[in-house]
Amino acid sequence: MTTRTLRGLYAVTPETLGGAALYRAAEAVCSGGAMLLQYRNKSRDAALRRAEADALRAITTVCGTLFIINDDVDLARTVGADGVHVGRDDGDPAAVRARLGSDAIVGVSCYDDPAL
């Protein structure tokens, strides 16, 4: 496993943006120097989430920004994201790492308990 230090702006997409507005916002934060962009959307259907994730992956690749998917390991694998952020109901972090590979970024919600 590779250890790396991440420093800088970690941007998270708002669930209220979609389509062209989402892509414009992503381009702005990436070109503005964000180190990492997390796609967070739990309300859209799977096909739309896939389309948005594909577009965001393309934007982050051009900008050199790391790309993280929130709560969806399968989507992260499908679009070639740099990693995933999981909550307590999204799977065991070790199993997530095994699915995504040793170089993937795996973030975990700690819910006010840093021992998690």
Side-chain angles (χ1 to χ4, degrees):
M1 179 170 85
T2 303
T3 302
R4 56 184 145 175
T5 301
L6 298 176
R7 292 199 167 121
L9 179 63
Y10 183 136
V12 179
T13 64
E15 292 196 41
T16 57
L17 284 184
L22 174 65
Y23 309 144
R24 281 191 304 274
E27 288 170 348
V29 298
C30 290
S31 65
M35 169 72 137
L36 192 145
L37 178 67
Q38 178 179 321
Y39 176 54
R40 184 176 196 280
N41 195 303
K42 298 179 183 191
S43 60
R44 286 184 170 59
D45 67 61
L48 185 53
R49 291 184 71 228
R50 166 68 191 272
E52 289 182 343
D54 279 333
L56 292 172
R57 169 77 275 189
I59 292 166
T60 57
T61 297
V62 168
C63 292
T65 301
L66 295 169
F67 184 52
I68 302 294
I69 300 288
N70 188 71
D71 292 346
D72 193 333
V73 178
D74 292 332
L75 182 59
R77 283 186 60 167
T78 299
V79 302
D82 297 295
V84 67
H85 182 93
V86 294
R88 73 179 77 170
D89 299 325
D90 300 318
D92 174 59
V96 169
R97 174 155 314 283
R99 289 189 63 209
L100 293 180
S102 61
D103 288 334
I105 297 167
V106 177
V108 180
S109 295
C110 65
Y111 305 99
D112 257 356
D113 185 353
L116 288 177

